[in-house]
Amino acid sequence: MDVSWIPGNADGVVVAIAAILAVAGSWWGVRSRGPRTPPPSPKDDSGAPTPPSAPDEAPAQTRPEEPAAEVPEDVSSRFERRRSRVGGAFGARLASFFGRSDFDDSAWDELEEALLTADVGSTMTDKILASVRARVDGGESSPRDAVREALIEAMDPAADRSLAAGTPGDGNLAPILVVGVNGVGKTTTVGKLARVLVAEGHTVVLGAADTFRAAAADQLETWGTRVGVVTVRADQEGADPASVAFDAAHTAQADGVDVVLVDTAGRLQNKAGLMDQLGKVARVVEKVAPVRETLLVLDATTGQNGLVQARVFAEAVPLTGVVLTKMDGTAKGGIVLAVQNSLGVPVKFVGLGEGVDDLAPFDVESFVDGLLDG
């Protein structure tokens, strides 16, 4: 405090008074700010104090549940329930032949034309004609029964059409390769085969080795997710298909899975390249476990043109069976006979619609009945 302006000895008195006032002010401020009385505790209806409430908690974070895996349709009765989809025009073409009472050359020409139009193929058509003629001329069968019996016989009903997937839970991995050109429904067929296997109690891993087709891996992974199956895929398009196939087989083996289904690339621009690629895929998978099946997927609507594709793949890898897609309502039902006769391997599955469970194990008698009832 500047007290130079105060005259004489009065400055000492002023300082003393100021000090007293400062001390008094401090005491008064402390007293006025003294400890506050806490607010009374709230009481409930009985008069007892209510315990203090806990601080508000942040709402619990809940993760969205993944959709439950679908339960595929039972496999054993699939074909029978969809038999009516097989007919197409083949049965209609034979209606007049079945109604004949005399069988001259025009009658046999009519049957021959119906068989050829259905893409049975010339070799199998000659065999079926001879069989039907012998049965009809010998009075053994009606025209319809004669055709039915001849078709069933030509389709080799004794052939093993089962899928070599082993017994669920037996600890032996069963690799299955699926081959075919792009556009025949190959990747979709792999997804539907997974549903067949899951319905039969198998555990499955999918290998997305068709690395050259845009979105093929995404498509396959979607199929796998729907049925609760893991899909092994590359990080980018154009990756080495054999590497993906090996990773899928190795993953399946390590996890104790029953079956690994491998979707392969199907580019036919370079036949030599295709053969080398498929051969490499088969070899690397064999390092993990012997390949049980190599299934060729063909579009039934392509008829005889599909046989050209089939022969190329048969040269690339040893085929064990055929899957015919788009068999529902096609006029080319005879392709079953032509394929089996040309390749020497049985048709094991047929696609009878676009539904997720419309892939059915091939049943010779039901198929022939469906053709003739069309």
Side-chain angles (χ1 to χ4, degrees):
M1 176 183 295
D2 184 9
V3 293
S4 59
W5 57 275
I6 302 175
N9 294 329
D11 55 348
V13 177
V14 173
V15 170
I17 294 172
I20 292 171
L21 290 176
V23 171
S26 299
W27 173 80
W28 181 261
V30 169
R31 189 170 184 271
S32 65
R33 293 195 308 267
R36 297 181 180 178
T37 304
S41 300
K43 300 180 182 294
D44 57 20
D45 294 340
S46 64
T50 303
S53 59
D56 292 340
E57 296 182 358
Q61 298 294 322
T62 57
R63 297 178 61 185
E65 294 184 3
E66 293 185 0
E70 299 175 5
V71 178
E73 179 185 332
D74 178 66
V75 178
S76 60
S77 56
R78 285 188 186 186
F79 197 105
E80 187 61 31
R81 285 199 292 270
R82 295 164 175 78
R83 192 181 75 178
S84 61
R85 302 179 186 180
V86 173
F90 184 70
R93 292 195 189 99
L94 292 176
S96 61
F97 177 81
F98 293 155
R100 283 179 173 268
S101 56
D102 61 318
F103 293 90
D104 53 15
D105 288 344
S106 65
W108 300 115
D109 288 343
E110 185 178 357
L111 177 58
E112 180 180 23
E113 182 181 356
L115 291 169
L116 291 173
T117 304
D119 267 334
V120 171
S122 58
T123 302
M124 292 306 300
T125 293
D126 291 341
K127 290 182 179 180
I128 293 170
L129 276 173
S131 178
V132 174
R133 187 188 288 267
R135 285 179 165 87
V136 171
D137 290 347
E140 301 176 15
S141 307
S142 67
R144 189 185 188 283
D145 288 344
V147 171
R148 180 180 184 274
E149 292 162 7
L151 287 173
I152 291 175
E153 182 182 38
M155 289 186 185
D156 190 10
D160 182 9
R161 301 177 192 277
S162 63
L163 196 62
T167 303
D170 66 0
N172 297 314
L173 178 63
I176 297 176
L177 307 184
V178 183
V179 302
V181 299
N182 293 336
V184 298
K186 176 172 52 62
T187 300
T188 296
T189 296
V190 174
K192 291 184 178 182
L193 277 173
R195 297 181 69 89
V196 168
L197 289 165
V198 169
E200 293 178 338
H202 294 276
T203 53
V204 181
V205 164
L206 301 178
D210 185 357
T211 59
F212 299 105
R213 185 170 67 85
D218 292 339
Q219 181 184 356
L220 191 62
E221 191 168 26
T222 298
W223 278 101
T225 300
R226 292 182 64 172
V227 76
V229 166
V230 171
T231 300
V232 175
R233 56 181 294 176
D235 295 332
Q236 59 185 8
E237 291 181 11
D240 180 22
S243 177
V244 177
F246 178 81
D247 288 345
H250 185 268
T251 299
Q253 183 79 287
D255 293 346
V257 171
D258 298 324
V259 181
V260 56
L261 279 172
V262 181
D263 181 23
T264 63
R267 301 178 304 167
L268 279 179
Q269 293 89 334
N270 185 329
K271 178 179 173 182
L274 172 70
M275 295 178 69
D276 290 343
Q277 182 186 102
L278 292 179
K280 183 179 178 183
V281 168
R283 287 193 301 274
V284 299
V285 171
E286 291 270 1
K287 291 180 179 180
V288 179
V291 174
R292 300 279 189 90
E293 296 266 11
T294 302
L295 302 176
L296 172 66
V297 181
L298 290 176
D299 181 344
T301 63
T302 61
Q304 292 290 315
N305 292 332
L307 291 180
V308 177
Q309 303 170 9
R311 294 188 186 102
V312 172
F313 282 96
E315 293 175 12
V317 286
L319 302 176
T320 60
V322 176
V323 180
L324 285 172
T325 63
K326 306 174 188 177
M327 283 294 295
D328 48 316
T330 178
K332 308 290 186 180
I335 191 63
V336 172
L337 289 158
V339 166
Q340 292 190 161
N341 181 61
S342 176
L343 300 180
V345 296
V347 171
K348 295 195 171 188
F349 289 88
V350 288
L352 297 173
E354 296 182 358
V356 293
D357 290 321
D358 282 342
L359 185 72
F362 184 65
D363 183 289
V364 172
E365 292 194 19
S366 290
F367 178 72
V368 171
D369 289 338
L371 284 177
L372 300 183
D373 291 344

